[in-house]
Amino acid sequence: MRHSLMLALALGTLCAPAFAEKADSSKPIEVNADSASLDQKQGINVFEGNVIITQGTLSLRAHKTVATQDANRRQKLQATGSPVYFRQKLDGQAEYVDGQASRVDYDSANNTVVLTGKAQVKRGKDIVNGEQITYNTATEIYQVKGQGGSNTTGRVTIILQPQEKP
């Protein structure tokens, strides 16, 4: 069970893995939910109903999470909610990364986290909004998409604050 639950940790570092609170990885993972189904043989863990996952400064809230791990220890996590919320402190700073979306998918094999459905990521006063935010944890590259489609004019919004002078 511990290996599959490590997916929760990976999700917490989705917005700023190089900057996430390093001490969090050595903290215990706590999962609270209305129900759980743990299939260790198949490597599938499902938590439903007011799911709250915490590890150190990492916090994730969702309606449902499904964590899987294959024979090669590749991990996937899917969290759904109205919306899914996450928060984690940045390493050595008093600042947090906060995010939300209707669905969050993490895939360790592809090093990707995808936030879909009114996705938003905030770091301090900087904000990124879009219908879908994809983040590659290896390359640290974001891709943000608006709603798109022929009948919509959905656009992305990025608000960056000026850097303070030392």
Side-chain angles (χ1 to χ4, degrees):
M1 182 166 95
R2 183 141 176 93
H3 294 294
S4 294
L5 291 178
M6 292 304 290
L7 291 170
L9 171 63
L11 179 62
T13 60
L14 68 101
C15 292
F19 306 107
E21 186 73 30
K22 290 179 176 66
D24 285 351
S25 64
S26 63
K27 306 282 183 176
I29 298 170
E30 181 177 331
V31 181
N32 291 286
D34 293 338
S35 66
S37 171
L38 310 170
D39 183 340
Q40 294 304 293
K41 188 173 183 179
Q42 298 296 320
I44 301 171
N45 297 322
V46 179
F47 301 96
E48 291 189 78
N50 193 27
V51 179
I52 302 170
I53 301 172
T54 56
Q55 183 178 31
T57 67
L58 165 64
S59 176
L60 170 78
R61 295 177 177 269
H63 173 70
K64 179 179 181 180
T65 61
V66 178
T68 62
Q69 180 171 288
D70 66 17
N72 294 322
R73 302 180 69 100
R74 291 179 295 220
Q75 302 171 337
K76 291 185 180 184
L77 174 77
Q78 181 184 90
T80 54
S82 300
V84 175
Y85 292 100
F86 62 87
R87 179 172 224 218
Q88 187 168 32
K89 185 177 174 293
L90 296 175
D91 195 42
Q93 300 179 35
E95 195 173 43
Y96 283 80
V97 171
D98 294 278
Q100 66 182 47
S102 297
R103 178 175 163 165
V104 177
D105 292 280
Y106 169 73
D107 183 343
S108 70
N110 295 322
N111 300 311
T112 57
V113 179
V114 180
L115 288 78
T116 306
K118 297 181 182 176
Q120 180 182 78
V121 175
K122 292 172 65 177
R123 178 179 173 188
K125 293 181 181 180
D126 295 343
I127 302 171
V128 177
N129 286 305
E131 184 59 23
Q132 184 179 73
I133 300 172
T134 302
Y135 180 71
N136 184 301
T137 61
T139 64
E140 298 186 26
I141 294 175
Y142 284 90
Q143 292 182 339
V144 185
K145 295 181 182 177
Q147 206 165 7
S150 59
N151 295 329
T152 61
T153 59
R155 297 169 52 88
V156 304
T157 302
I158 300 170
I159 301 170
L160 302 173
Q161 301 298 321
Q163 291 193 0
E164 295 181 17
K165 295 179 182 177

